[in-house]
Amino acid sequence: MDKPLRILAIDGGGIRGIIPAVMLAAIEKQTGKPICELFDLIAGTSTGGILALGMVKPGQQPGKPQYAATDLLELYFKEGATIFPHSLWREIKSGKYTENEKYPSDGVESVLQKYFGDTRLKDALKNTLITSYEIQIRLPWLFRSDRAFKDANFDFPMWQVARATSAAPTYFEPERIDKADKSGFWALVDGGMYANNPAMLAYAEALHLFPKGEVVVVSLGTGTHTQPIPYANAKHWGLIGWAKPVLDVVFDGVSRTTDYQIHQLLPPDGARQRYYRFQTPLTIASDEMDNTDPENLNDLKQQAEQMVAAQQAEIGTLCAQLV
């Protein structure tokens, strides 16, 4: 039997990207191979897009990635407070919030430039799909490495692609990317607005690139929300009250809906599993995307490690399939 097409999709979730990073590190440790050698297509949204790009960025050795999953896990601990220098939503709760307040873009941009340098999307070691949304022409936007390789008009620096996919409204300003022919620019925000879980897009892309192949989809979440939204509070909310919760509802709802759809489209083929979803409820760590308190970072890592331990048998089955 031919080896199936192996697809990896990683959700958005800000600092909660620690969770899929731990899972990726576990897969690399068990297989002894870098992620880009285990998958034929890698997709990501927001923080998942940053992870996806990090795993396909070429290093000095030809054909090998610059970063291991453990390096990208370390990014969150080293650079989290630079990307999110304070909690926006704590400012809202304290009454210090102003309507135009958001995180300055220089922090996140300095981190992305540091990690991706001058590398361009066309240089990706494996087919890569990154989501964003163009707000001027009102169009879902897909950064595709195969298209970037063929057409310079769709080839951009990786750091800018990472910046665009993670430009969450109310957190960061949109990313402006100049067109190659200097005829204008693209204005882009977080792809989580429509595809926080990019597994369905990745599956569709795989059918486009490899129409006759068997498919295995591996989807990594950043933790499910467990904190309820009390009706008694929500019924009185207006614009400010709903600012954060509505993003959480959109991101969480999109992720869970996509999970259901892929489950229906890719049921097991006999004894062969075709869809893996690794997700954990946020029972210990905060569900805030920007909570970079050291205690919370460790809690996120602990929750991810617990998930890896609890699903070790399934991870073993997956790794055997990947190699």
Side-chain angles (χ1 to χ4, degrees):
M1 182 179 293
D2 293 336
K3 180 182 289 187
L5 297 167
R6 302 156 300 172
I7 301 168
L8 173 65
I10 312 171
D11 287 17
I15 200 66
R16 303 199 319 263
I18 286 172
I19 293 173
V22 168
M23 176 60 73
L24 292 168
I27 292 172
E28 286 192 337
K29 181 178 180 181
Q30 188 152 338
T31 61
K33 293 179 178 291
I35 292 298
C36 68
E37 294 182 8
L38 295 171
F39 292 92
D40 303 293
L41 172 66
I42 300 176
T45 291
S46 197
T47 196
I50 295 173
L51 286 170
L53 290 165
M55 289 179 294
V56 299
K57 181 185 184 298
Q60 293 184 343
Q61 186 177 351
K64 297 294 183 179
Q66 179 171 349
Y67 302 117
T70 50
D71 298 321
L72 300 175
L73 174 60
E74 191 176 1
L75 179 156
Y76 292 100
F77 284 86
K78 280 188 172 182
E79 311 289 356
T82 301
I83 297 171
F84 300 113
H86 66 276
S87 174
L88 216 60
W89 303 111
R90 291 175 196 174
E91 295 292 316
I92 291 176
K93 292 175 183 177
S94 69
K96 299 177 182 178
Y97 172 80
T98 61
E99 184 178 355
N100 294 322
E101 187 167 2
K102 57 183 177 293
Y103 288 112
S105 59
D106 54 352
V108 63
E109 289 180 2
S110 69
V111 171
L112 296 176
Q113 289 169 354
K114 173 182 174 181
Y115 275 79
F116 293 105
D118 297 326
T119 305
R120 302 187 70 85
L121 184 58
K122 69 177 181 182
D123 300 322
L125 293 173
K126 197 57 61 82
N127 278 314
T128 307
L129 179 71
I130 307 295
T131 68
S132 191
Y133 184 88
E134 217 291 339
I135 59 175
Q136 297 183 123
I137 56 177
R138 303 296 293 269
L139 185 71
W141 184 274
L142 300 179
F143 292 99
R144 293 165 41 191
S145 62
D146 67 314
R147 191 175 189 184
F149 185 78
K150 297 174 185 175
D151 187 344
N153 290 311
F154 296 97
D155 180 38
F156 308 98
M158 277 191 179
W159 79 263
Q160 281 195 303
V161 176
R163 170 73 173 84
T165 190
S166 58
T170 73
Y171 288 86
F172 298 108
E173 66 186 41
E175 172 66 356
R176 171 180 169 147
I177 300 182
D178 292 331
K179 295 182 180 180
D181 60 7
K182 308 302 181 184
S183 63
F185 63 91
W186 309 110
L188 299 152
V189 298
D190 197 309
M193 303 308 296
Y194 67 95
N196 199 55
N197 176 347
M200 182 62 75
L201 286 172
Y203 178 49
E205 182 73 359
L207 294 180
H208 166 70
L209 293 172
F210 316 104
K212 296 183 179 180
E214 290 294 321
V215 171
V216 171
V217 175
V218 180
S219 177
L220 306 183
T222 58
T224 55
H225 293 73
T226 57
Q227 188 70 28
I229 300 176
Y231 168 76
N233 296 340
K235 70 177 182 177
H236 299 298
W237 284 345
L239 178 63
I240 296 299
W242 271 108
K244 178 180 183 292
V246 76
L247 274 182
D248 291 343
V249 169
V250 169
F251 290 169
D252 189 51
V254 166
S255 291
R256 294 189 190 219
T257 300
T258 299
D259 177 36
Y260 171 79
Q261 292 168 335
I262 297 289
H263 261 301
Q264 303 308 309
L265 290 171
L266 291 174
D269 180 11
R272 193 180 201 182
Q273 193 166 339
R274 298 193 296 165
Y275 174 57
Y276 296 83
R277 173 69 169 169
F278 295 101
Q279 180 67 298
T280 184
L282 294 167
T283 55
I284 301 172
S286 167
D287 62 13
E288 293 177 344
M289 295 196 300
D290 61 343
N291 187 339
T292 57
D293 290 347
E295 182 180 359
N296 188 56
L297 300 184
N298 287 320
D299 286 344
L300 287 166
K301 186 170 182 283
Q302 179 185 345
Q303 290 228 238
E305 290 170 343
Q306 289 175 353
M307 176 179 67
V308 169
Q311 297 185 262
Q312 191 56 53
E314 189 171 10
I315 293 170
T317 300
L318 166 64
C319 289
Q321 222 171 333
L322 292 177
V323 299

